[in-house]
């Protein structure tokens, strides 16, 4: 344990003293859970578990304009499906709650006011129109979108430019205001990212971010720092898109709690679209025909249903493995990692700096590998459901398991079981007679009539006996197997597909096998 802490950075000293790794996944409940979000949750989970720590789910719902009903439960369901359930969350509770930021609202104001009191932040009374006016007035060719920063704040209506009485009066009158951080000019702000190493920012390029909004809610910037502190978060892992916000967070940490209390940070690389550049979006999934969300997501406003990996037919183990190696490997060529192995081998410092291109074919390859190695007993409820969706009702039990074992090699996604297994439960509607009829003759007809008699009398009904008898009749009639195996297959399954034909017959059983041969003979016989 101690060694690993050394590998993961300076945190080992703190961790060894406190013995608590606490990490958090902090999504905003705004819609479907993007696979990038699941990967962030997964890396948090793996890190926590391989350090004997806690994995926390914190719902960041302070932006009420983006709040979507049902999204929080959905996120929890997705994590559950992936097998990465949090130790602490709105649902699981814990000692550091509430786990929804909206329920922590009252606490943030005092921190924002403390910052103002100490001169690190200020009240700003500018109306939206005044902000627009500022942007228009100071727009130049070199600076097309002027920021509320260390220069322009001097020209705006805030507690830095007004005298104290004026400020008190406006506050007393209930004038709407926000609290903005006062970013220092010309300072280099530096931190060490677990993946990227030292990262520096020039404070003069930053704007004075809003910390507390007009509705009394904190922005992400204030809330993330206060909550990471109060929830004793030891490491914060989040998407690369948050890297530009890091210097503002460092300042807030410094001003409120002391820079040395800051968690260790890692900014995870983006998951990129398969073609072209940029972050993989839901639109790319729609455009290229693959899922982006972990599970089905229904937008209640528009009624639009977006298919998830689960419903598309992915096994959670495959989905998790695929995500784990989308931006990380253990230094070897290995790609298949069971969760137990990931728990042992995952290391944040081995996460790649560059973005990883998503490849749906590769994702399917993972699923195929997992279908092959998952037991039929475990697959059967999923297969049963997939068949049910296609109108085929089957019972769980030894027969279904035998079928699954026979065809799972051929299935990449769970719904593929319908194509590869439905004929076990339902005689084919159509037979590919075109592949048989041109070469059909009396000899073949007689062969199958004899086969029917033989099979009807057969004592042991298993693939070995059935094959043996089939071949004996062939030999006795001086016929070649190649000419009769294909018709036999088409009789049983309808086409040129499926596993070993005698294995199929064994599972179909005597009555059904004979029935299908008789039915086919009737159809093929028409051609003589
Ligand atoms: N609410 C942020 C998001 O949804 C969380 C970022 C973080 O983990 O700090 O991306």
């Amino acid at each position: 344990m101690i060694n690993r802490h050394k590998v993961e950075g300076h945190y080992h000293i703190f961790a060894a003293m406190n013995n608590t790794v606490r990490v958090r996944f902090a999504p905003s409940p705004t819609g479907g859970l993007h696979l990038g979000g699941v990967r962030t949750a997964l890396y948090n989970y793996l890190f926590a578990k391989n350090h004997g720590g806690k994995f926390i789910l914190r719902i960041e719902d302070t932006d009420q304009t983006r709040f979507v009903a049902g999204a929080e439960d959905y996120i929890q369901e997705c994590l559950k499906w992936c097998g990465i359930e949090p130790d602490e969350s709105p649902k699981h509770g814990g000692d550091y709650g509430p786990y929804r930021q909206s329920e922590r609202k009252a606490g943030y104001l005092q921190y924002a006011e403390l910052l103002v009191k100490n001169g690190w932040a200020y009240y700003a009374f500018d109306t939206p129109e005044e902000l627009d006016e500022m942007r228009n007035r100071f727009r130049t060719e070199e600076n097309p979108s002027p920021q509320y920063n260390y220069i322009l704040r001097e020209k705006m209506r805030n507690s830095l430019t007004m005298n104290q009485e004026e400020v008190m009066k406006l506050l007393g009158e209930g004038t709407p205001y926000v609290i903005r951080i006062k970013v220092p000019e010309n300072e280099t702000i530096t931190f060490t990212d677990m993946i990227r190493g030292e990262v520096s920012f020039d404070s003069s390029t930053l704007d004075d971010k809003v910390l507390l909004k007009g509705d009394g809610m904190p922005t992400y910037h204030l809330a993330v720092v206060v909550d990471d502190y109060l929830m004793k978060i030891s490491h914060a892992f989040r998407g690369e898109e948050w890297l530009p916000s890091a210097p503002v967070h460092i300042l807030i940490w410094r001003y409120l709690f002391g820079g040395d209390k800051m968690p260790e940070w890692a900014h995870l690389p983006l998951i990129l679209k398969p073609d072209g550049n940029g972050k993989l979006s839901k639109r790319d999934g729609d455009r290229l025909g693959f899922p982006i969300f972990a599970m089905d997501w229904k937008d209640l406003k528009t009624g639009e249903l977006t298919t998830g990996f689960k419903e598309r037919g992915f096994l959670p183990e495959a989905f998790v493995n695929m995500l784990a190696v989308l931006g990380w490997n253990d230094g070897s060529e290995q790609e298949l990692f069971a969760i137990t192995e990931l728990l042992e081998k995952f290391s944040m410092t081995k996460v790649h700096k560059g973005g990883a291109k998503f490849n749906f074919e590769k994702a399917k390859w993972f699923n195929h590998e997992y279908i092959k190695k998952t037991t039929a007993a475990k697959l059967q409820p999923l297969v049963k459901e997939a068949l049910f969706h296609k109108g085929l009702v089957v019972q769980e039990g030894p027969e279904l398991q035998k079928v699954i074992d026979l065809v799972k090699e051929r299935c990449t996604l769970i719904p593929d079981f319908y194509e590869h297994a439905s004929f076990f439960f339902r005689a084919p509607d159509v037979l590919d007679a075109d592949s048989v009829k041109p070469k059909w003759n009396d000899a073949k007809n007689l062969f199958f009539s004899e086969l029917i008699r033989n099979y009807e009398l057969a004592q042991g009904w298993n693939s070995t006996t059935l094959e043996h008898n089939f071949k004996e009749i062939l030999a006795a009639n001086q016929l070649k197997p190649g000419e009769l195996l294909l018709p036999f297959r088409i009789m049983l399954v309808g086409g040129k597909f499926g596993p070993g034909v005698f294995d199929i017959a064994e599972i179909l059983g005597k009555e059904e096998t004979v029935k299908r041969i008789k039915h086919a003979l009737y159809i093929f016989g028409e051609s003589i």
Side-chain angles (χ1 to χ4, degrees), residues 60-186:
E60 301 209 327
D61 56 351
T62 55
D63 187 350
Q64 303 201 312
T65 57
R66 297 179 64 219
F67 177 80
V68 174
E72 179 189 317
D73 286 344
Y74 164 87
I75 290 169
Q76 306 228 32
E77 279 305 307
C78 290
L79 297 183
K80 191 171 168 190
W81 176 65
C82 292
I84 51 173
E85 282 212 74
D87 301 297
E88 300 169 24
S89 77
K91 196 175 97 191
H92 299 83
D95 295 338
Y96 297 86
Y99 291 88
R100 270 181 214 108
Q101 283 184 331
S102 57
E103 291 169 19
R104 303 170 74 87
K105 182 178 173 185
Y108 301 113
L109 177 65
Q110 54 166 324
Y111 288 104
E113 283 179 340
L114 189 65
L115 288 170
V116 176
K117 197 170 141 225
N118 291 326
W120 307 120
Y122 55 91
Y123 296 107
F125 299 98
D126 317 278
T127 62
E129 294 74 32
E130 285 165 339
L131 292 172
D132 275 348
E133 200 269 325
M134 174 271 272
R135 285 185 206 107
N136 289 331
R137 184 147 51 107
F138 295 99
R139 183 178 296 137
T140 60
E141 214 153 283
E142 302 84 69
N143 187 11
S145 42
Q147 307 196 84
Y148 204 119
N149 63 4
Y150 73 101
I151 300 172
L152 290 190
R153 68 187 171 218
E154 300 298 338
K155 306 188 186 308
M156 303 300 289
R157 286 204 313 131
N158 56 49
S159 57
L160 301 175
T161 57
M162 296 169 162
N163 64 41
Q164 209 183 345
E165 286 86 75
E166 253 180 302
V167 173
M168 295 317 284
K169 183 165 169 276
L170 287 176
L171 290 177
E173 286 167 354
T175 312
Y177 67 90
V178 299
I179 293 181
R180 287 182 181 269
I181 187 166
K182 187 177 168 200
V183 174
E185 71 178 279
N186 281 331

Side-chain angles (χ1 to χ4, degrees), residues 170-202:
L170 287 176
L171 290 177
E173 286 167 354
T175 312
Y177 67 90
V178 299
I179 293 181
R180 287 182 181 269
I181 187 166
K182 187 177 168 200
V183 174
E185 71 178 279
N186 281 331
E187 202 188 300
T188 303
I189 301 172
T190 303
F191 81 99
T192 305
D193 186 281
M194 289 169 74
I195 299 170
R196 283 147 220 277
E198 197 173 287
V199 187
S200 298
F201 302 86
D202 172 3

